[in-house]
Amino acid sequence: MRYPNAAKGLRLMFLGRILTIAAILLIWVPLLGLLLAVAATALEIAGIYTAGTDDENYKGALVFAVLSLAASLVSGFLQPGLLTSLLDAAGVIFSLLVVFSVCSTTSNLLHGLGQEALSQRGALVVKIYAVCTAVAVVCAVLSFVPIINIAAALGSAIASLAEIAGYVMYLLFLNSSSKALG
């Protein structure tokens, strides 16, 4: 049995993540970076929704994606401080839950199709994202403590590098999974 809607949804999520990279690189171009960021978010949410027509477990990822978006939007309208840091941390955690839900659900579908190696790659992506998210959240909280904030900045920089590797692995997982499920 194939899962064409899950395959299409994962492809949309992949394209959304690629647009996110473009938005980050072009954020300095007025309006273009913002439009790309909005399009990326819309594609990812549409992808999760589309995938959810083949497996209900993608619906959890949809809820987390909306919560992440809401936390980011509210944080963007507030003055920098503890509340914005907490909202940013919540957004990061919700993003992790999106990746966890998508990878877990996709891995289950792949397992059912006998795609064990690809299924296990999803579990590795989740582990990398979980460790990086934990480090990022701890560093964000510690950044408010004098003197420790220097070590927190260093830890955050190292976690960011590891997160880039995890992001690339997630992109590859989405791309390969969309082909395997289609």
Side-chain angles (χ1 to χ4, degrees):
M1 176 179 185
R2 294 287 174 199
Y3 301 96
N5 293 321
K8 182 179 177 184
L10 292 174
R11 191 73 177 152
L12 289 173
M13 285 183 256
F14 172 79
L15 294 173
R17 290 292 176 136
I18 294 294
L19 278 182
T20 299
I21 294 170
I24 291 168
L25 294 174
L26 296 172
I27 198 69
W28 55 272
V29 178
L31 194 59
L32 181 60
L34 177 64
L35 290 175
L36 286 173
V38 169
T41 302
L43 271 177
E44 185 157 15
I45 289 174
I48 295 169
Y49 179 81
T50 301
T53 59
D54 272 352
D55 191 314
E56 288 290 318
N57 291 322
Y58 285 111
K59 302 291 186 195
L62 183 62
V63 170
F64 295 133
V66 170
L67 288 172
S68 176
L69 176 63
S72 295
L73 286 174
V74 171
S75 173
F77 287 108
L78 297 176
Q79 294 295 322
L82 181 61
L83 182 58
T84 55
S85 292
L86 291 174
L87 285 170
D88 289 341
V92 168
I93 291 169
F94 288 136
S95 293
L96 168 66
L97 292 172
V98 169
V99 171
F100 176 78
S101 296
V102 168
C103 287
S104 297
T105 303
T106 304
S107 290
N108 287 338
L109 295 178
L110 291 167
H111 176 73
L113 294 176
Q115 299 278 339
E116 293 304 319
L118 189 53
S119 175
Q120 290 174 359
R121 201 171 352 149
L124 178 61
V125 169
V126 169
K127 289 175 188 171
I128 290 170
Y129 259 82
V131 169
C132 291
T133 299
V135 171
V137 168
V138 168
C139 288
V141 171
L142 291 177
S143 70
F144 287 100
V145 180
I147 300 179
I148 294 177
N149 60 356
I150 297 168
L154 179 62
S156 184
I158 293 168
S160 294
L161 292 175
E163 194 167 6
I164 290 170
Y167 195 87
V168 170
M169 290 180 68
Y170 183 54
L171 282 173
L172 294 172
F173 178 72
L174 289 175
N175 188 44
S176 299
S177 298
S178 70
K179 291 175 183 173
L181 294 174

